[in-house]
Amino acid sequence: MIIENFNKHFSTAGHAFRLATSTSANSSAPPPAVPRPSLSRFSFTQIQIADVLKELQNLDPYKSPGLDNLDPLFLKLSATIVATPITSLFNLSFILSEIPKDWKAAAVIPLFKGGDTLDPNCYRPISILPCLSKVFESQVNKQVTDHLESHRTFSAVQSGFRAGHGSTSATLKVLNDIITAIDKRQYCAAVFIDLAKAFDSVNHHILIGRLSSLGFSDDCLAWFTNYFADRVQCAKSEGMLSGPLAVSMGVPQGSILGPTLFSVYINDVALAAGDSLIHLYADDTILYTFGPSLDTVLSNLQTSFNAIQHSFRGLQLLLNASKTKCMLFNRSLPAPARPTSITTLDGSDLEYVDIYKYLGVWLDCKLSFQTHQTSPIENQIKSRLSIPQQSLLHSRRQAYPSKTDYPTDPRLRRCHLQNGFQHSTQQTGCSLSQ
C-alpha cells in the first residue's frame, strides 16, 4: 500500500500544483511563440547503424535495467550483432510515428532526502527508463539539437543543457553584469525565481505547439505526440513494485530528450523581461536590473517580474513563492533597512536575503564571496587527487574559448577557479561524500 501511495504521489506531481492555483491563473493563455519565418523545416533523418553501434558499445554496464529487464551489459556485449536490427526498429518508429509502449514505462525509485520516512514529499523520485529507449532518444536528441543550434533557436540567455554552455558560464555572465553595475556605483536588485515541479508540469499540447512554431514537420509532431502519449510509471523499492499509473504531464524524468524539450518550452520566457536582464538555466531563473536610483530599479524589477510571472503562468509553470528570493547588491551606496517589497501576482511579498546559492555558487549582497569558500574537506580531496592545473584550464577554455572572454575582475576569477575545481572533481568521479 505504501509503494502505491508513492507512485500516485510521483505520477500526479504536476497536477497537484495546477490544482493549487486559482482558476484565473490556469486559464492564462500561453505566451505566443516567436514567429521564425526563415527557419527551415525539420524532419527526422535515418539513423545510421554505425551511430547505434557506437552508442551500444559505450553503454555503462553497471546501469540498472528498466522495467523491460533488458540489461545494458547484454546490449554492450552483443552490440555488433544487435546494432542492425535495433537501427531498423528505430527508423521504423520514425516511419510509423510510433514508439513501443514498453519504452514509455518508467521505474521510479524513491530516494530519501530526510524528514518523515512516510511522507512522499521527503523523497526524490529517480526515474529509470528502458535502456533501448535512452539509446534511441540519444539519436533523436542529436538531430533535434543540431537543428535548433544551427538555426540559433535558443535565446542567448538560455544556458541549460546546451553544448558550449553551462552553469559556470551562466554564473559568470550574471556576476559580470552585477559587478560592472556596482563598480559604476549603481544599485542592482535581483529576483531568484523558483518554479514548483517545473519539469513535471510541462503541458504537452503547448510544447507540441512550440515545436510546430520551430518548423518541425507534421511527421515529427506526430512522433512527439505519440512520445508523450500512454506513458506510465511504477514505483519500485526494496523488491516491491507498484502497479502502473498514467503520466499525462511533464517531460519524462530520466530521459535524454526531456532537458532539451524543457529548454524549448521555456525559451521565449526571456522575451518578457522588458527593461530588466534575465538568465535561464533549466528551471533556475534570475531576473535582475540596475541603475542610479533605487526606487527606479525596484519599480522596473517589479514590472518585469509581473510580466515573467504571466509568461510562466501561461505555460502552466507555477511560482514557488516561498523559495523565490530577492537580493539587493550594494557595497557603499545608501540603502533603506527595508527596501520596497517585490510582490507576486497573488500579493505575497518576496523575502529579501543577504546570501543565496545560485547554480552552486553562494552569492552575498556585497559579492565578497566569503560564503563561497573551499571547505577543508574539499582541500583534502584536491590534495589527495593531485588535480592537475590542466583540468582547471580545460574548464576555463570550455566556458571562455578566447582570452578576451575570460573575466578580468579578480573576484570573478576566484569564483571561476573554485567552480573549475568542482568541475574537475566531477570529472574524476569524486564527491564530498566519498
Side-chain angles (χ1 to χ4, degrees):
M1 184 64 180
I2 294 178
I3 199 70
E4 299 291 345
N5 289 337
F6 273 96
N7 195 33
K8 182 178 180 180
H9 172 78
F10 292 141
S11 65
T12 59
H15 293 278
F17 282 91
R18 285 183 62 192
L19 294 174
T21 310
S22 63
T23 305
S24 60
N26 280 332
S27 61
S28 297
V34 177
R36 295 178 175 90
S38 61
L39 196 61
S40 63
R41 299 287 288 175
F42 170 73
S43 297
F44 291 128
T45 58
Q46 276 207 337
I47 296 173
Q48 301 302 311
I49 297 175
D51 294 329
V52 174
L53 177 61
K54 183 178 179 181
E55 196 87 35
L56 294 173
Q57 291 174 334
N58 288 335
L59 287 174
D60 184 347
Y62 300 104
K63 291 288 187 180
S64 300
L67 290 173
D68 62 353
N69 290 320
L70 191 55
D71 199 296
L73 178 59
F74 166 76
L75 292 172
K76 185 181 182 73
L77 295 177
S78 61
T80 55
I81 300 173
V82 301
T84 298
I86 287 176
T87 304
S88 298
L89 185 60
F90 289 169
N91 288 322
L92 182 62
S93 173
F94 287 157
I95 295 172
L96 300 177
S97 296
E98 187 174 343
I99 301 168
K101 285 189 176 181
D102 286 350
W103 293 1
K104 296 191 283 186
V108 177
I109 299 176
L111 181 65
F112 186 56
K113 298 185 294 183
D116 184 356
T117 56
L118 297 179
D119 184 1
N121 290 301
C122 295
Y123 290 79
R124 177 180 294 108
I126 305 299
S127 181
I128 301 176
L129 289 167
C131 185
L132 276 182
S133 73
K134 299 186 77 170
V135 173
F136 187 23
E137 285 192 33
S138 179
Q139 295 298 311
V140 176
N141 192 59
K142 185 179 185 306
Q143 293 189 27
V144 171
T145 54
D146 284 349
H147 171 77
L148 297 177
E149 293 291 356
S150 64
H151 292 86
R152 299 183 179 181
T153 303
F154 289 118
S155 167
V157 297
Q158 167 68 273
S159 294
F161 314 113
R162 298 179 60 194
H165 298 260
S167 59
T168 300
S169 57
T171 304
L172 288 172
K173 169 63 173 68
V174 171
L175 290 180
N176 187 67
D177 290 340
I178 296 174
I179 287 179
T180 299
I182 291 177
D183 288 345
K184 292 180 178 179
R185 295 188 58 79
Q186 293 182 330
Y187 292 97
C188 181
V191 174
F192 298 93
I193 299 174
D194 186 90
L195 298 172
K197 300 293 183 182
F199 283 77
D200 294 322
S201 303
V202 170
N203 179 290
H204 298 159
H205 177 73
I206 296 174
L207 178 55
I208 294 297
R210 285 282 185 265
L211 295 175
S212 177
S213 71
L214 295 176
F216 280 57
S217 68
D218 291 341
D219 288 342
C220 284
L221 297 179
W223 187 91
F224 275 106
T225 299
N226 183 268
Y227 172 81
F228 289 120
D230 303 319
R231 299 198 80 94
V232 298
Q233 70 175 41
C234 301
K236 184 178 181 181
S237 180
E238 298 180 354
M240 297 184 293
L241 184 68
S242 73
L245 286 178
V247 181
S248 60
M249 292 186 65
V251 292
Q253 297 281 8
S255 66
I256 306 296
L257 277 168
T260 300
L261 294 174
F262 184 80
S263 294
V264 170
Y265 193 70
I266 66 169
N267 188 61
D268 291 347
V269 167
L271 299 175
D275 294 331
S276 298
L277 299 177
I278 191 172
H279 210 96
L280 308 171
Y281 187 93
D283 57 345
D284 287 300
T285 302
I286 180 173
L287 183 69
Y288 58 107
T289 188
F290 41 80
S293 167
L294 179 58
D295 288 341
T296 302
V297 165
L298 295 179
S299 176
N300 290 341
L301 186 62
Q302 181 69 71
T303 300
S304 298
F305 183 47
N306 290 344
I308 291 295
Q309 288 180 86
H310 281 297
S311 187
F312 277 135
R313 282 189 171 187
L315 294 174
Q316 297 183 7
L317 299 177
L318 308 181
L319 183 76
N320 189 339
S322 64
K323 292 185 178 180
T324 298
K325 306 296 183 182
C326 290
M327 186 179 289
L328 182 61
F329 295 96
N330 182 30
R331 288 205 184 99
S332 58
L333 295 176
R338 297 183 63 182
T340 304
S341 297
I342 301 296
T343 62
T344 68
L345 293 177
D346 296 327
S348 301
D349 291 344
L350 298 183
E351 179 188 5
Y352 276 94
V353 294
D354 292 330
I355 58 171
Y356 187 88
K357 193 174 186 180
Y358 174 66
L359 300 182
V361 178
W362 281 103
L363 304 181
D364 60 88
C365 58
K366 296 185 181 299
L367 285 188
S368 66
F369 298 108
Q370 290 181 356
T371 307
H372 186 81
Q373 293 196 7
T374 306
S375 66
I377 190 171
E378 285 178 326
N379 280 326
Q380 292 177 17
I381 292 174
K382 183 178 180 182
S383 174
R384 292 177 184 178
L385 292 177
S386 299
I387 296 174
Q389 181 68 15
Q390 287 84 345
S391 296
L392 299 180
L393 292 176
H394 173 71
S395 175
R396 165 184 162 178
R397 292 191 187 106
Q398 280 189 320
Y400 298 95
S402 66
K403 291 183 179 180
T404 56
D405 292 331
Y406 191 58
T408 56
D409 192 296
R411 294 160 291 187
L412 291 186
R413 289 203 300 269
R414 180 174 62 189
C415 175
H416 176 73
L417 287 175
Q418 289 171 343
N419 278 342
F421 163 66
Q422 293 171 355
H423 168 81
S424 301
T425 57
Q426 291 169 359
Q427 294 286 60
T428 55
C430 293
S431 69
L432 297 180
S433 62
Q434 291 179 308

